[in-house]
Amino acid sequence: MTGLGAVFRPQLPPERLRAVVQLADATGLEELWLWEDCFREGGISAAAAALAWSGQVRVGVGLLPVPLRNVAITAMEVATLHRLFPGRAILGVGHGVQDWMGQVGARVESPVTLLREHLDALRALLRGERVTTDGRYVKLDDVALDWPPTGPVEILAGATGPRTLRLAGAAADGTILTASTAPDGVRRARQLIDEGRESAGRTEPHKVVVYLLTATATGPDAAARLRAELAEEGLESVPDLGVAGDADTVAKAVQRLAEAGADTVILQPTGDEPDPEAFVRFAAEVRALVP
């Protein structure tokens, strides 16, 4: 079955989150995703609040920028969420937006190297291992978590370019693809992820999560809002990207991504979505139409 969820975009103030997450829980939506975009809202703090305000919905953070975070802190926070809310937190890590990383003095010469070192150390710590490593960026001396997760934890990696997609296949448990990924892009990403998995001898399932930029027919000028956001991102010429329309139209777009290799599709409202609560209700309607 194709998983389905929605994004609470950080263009909204944090105090709007509670109503949205409680509505997602009440409507039976499977996943609600949050972003740690500079300089808006903290991913872990928002996820902890969302999990505490709900009882069933899974809460994803896509993603935590690794240049901002010591890997031991990431491991401590991820482990705490999983022990407090077993099976309901989904965590992704990634390079972060390089301009933002530069603004805070955290930009590194080799983002791919940093991400690989961070993933290797993070996954080891979450397995309860004691880790000593002296990498180019990640350095740990006899570090272990006192309270590791009580069961396996999947860590996803955000990826766009070929090197990072192969790295995600080799070193992560799943991959997050941005809303700039059309169905053909999902197919290409799957191929690169599988190349990475094969190189690392990985045989377990690898989850692919794809954001789908969505302008709902419940809001005004859906098609115009979709076109405007694609143009703002410089993506207006990319075919088959994003969707505007009713629940049936959006469900068909979700299915196209699923057929291309997406395991989970997360509906991403436009930045000017006028009614985030209505968007969650809409996502629940789409859920009923997606196999």
Side-chain angles (χ1 to χ4, degrees):
M1 183 178 75
T2 304
L4 192 84
V7 177
F8 176 88
R9 291 185 62 158
Q11 284 87 348
L12 295 167
E15 55 268 26
R16 296 287 303 269
L17 176 59
R18 185 170 189 162
V20 172
V21 73
Q22 289 178 335
L23 182 60
D25 211 39
T27 57
L29 194 64
E30 296 152 50
E31 298 181 8
L32 184 72
W33 281 69
L34 312 170
W35 294 348
E36 187 166 82
D37 274 5
C38 295
F39 299 94
R40 294 184 172 121
E41 293 156 14
I44 295 294
S45 54
L51 289 162
W53 288 328
S54 58
Q56 297 184 37
V57 66
R58 300 183 74 202
V59 176
V61 181
L63 44 77
L64 300 171
V66 298
L68 291 178
R69 294 177 168 273
N70 182 284
V71 69
I73 293 293
T74 305
M76 290 161 59
E77 292 187 321
V78 171
T80 299
L81 286 182
H82 275 274
R83 291 185 71 106
L84 290 173
F85 309 100
R88 292 181 54 216
I90 311 166
L91 279 302
V93 298
H95 300 312
V97 176
Q98 294 305 293
D99 286 347
W100 290 341
M101 299 303 101
Q103 281 183 270
V104 298
R107 190 166 186 167
V108 298
E109 185 177 356
S110 177
V112 173
T113 300
L114 170 57
L115 183 57
R116 178 60 189 253
E117 293 179 358
H118 194 102
L119 280 166
D120 288 347
L122 177 60
R123 294 177 67 240
L125 289 168
L126 293 172
R127 290 193 297 266
E129 297 176 14
R130 185 168 296 276
V131 180
T132 295
T133 183
D134 185 22
R136 182 174 177 181
Y137 300 109
V138 175
K139 301 178 186 296
L140 299 174
D141 182 9
D142 195 34
V143 174
L145 297 177
D146 282 8
W147 299 105
T150 56
V153 172
E154 293 182 342
I155 296 295
L156 282 60
T160 53
R163 291 179 65 201
T164 309
L165 286 163
R166 292 189 185 98
L167 169 60
D173 303 301
T175 302
I176 303 168
L177 302 177
T178 72
S180 63
T181 314
D184 282 347
V186 176
R187 293 185 184 92
R188 289 193 294 273
R190 268 289 187 189
Q191 293 173 352
L192 293 163
I193 291 164
D194 286 343
E195 289 175 13
R197 294 177 68 216
E198 183 177 0
S199 70
R202 303 284 297 271
T203 58
E204 67 275 31
H206 186 101
K207 181 179 180 180
V208 172
V209 177
V210 185
Y211 292 115
L212 174 63
L213 184 61
T214 305
T216 73
T218 59
D221 304 318
R225 288 190 291 112
L226 177 66
R227 288 194 301 271
E229 181 134 339
L230 290 172
E232 184 178 348
E233 299 294 327
L235 299 170
E236 66 272 26
S237 63
V238 180
D240 205 19
L241 200 60
V243 61
D246 60 14
D248 184 64
T249 300
V250 174
K252 289 175 181 175
V254 170
Q255 190 61 29
R256 288 193 292 272
L257 289 170
E259 290 168 356
D263 297 298
T264 299
V265 178
I266 306 299
L267 304 185
Q268 174 183 320
T270 57
D272 58 355
E273 166 60 47
D275 190 340
E277 288 83 6
F279 189 86
V280 168
R281 294 189 190 94
F282 179 84
E285 292 178 33
V286 174
R287 166 73 281 172
L289 299 173
V290 174

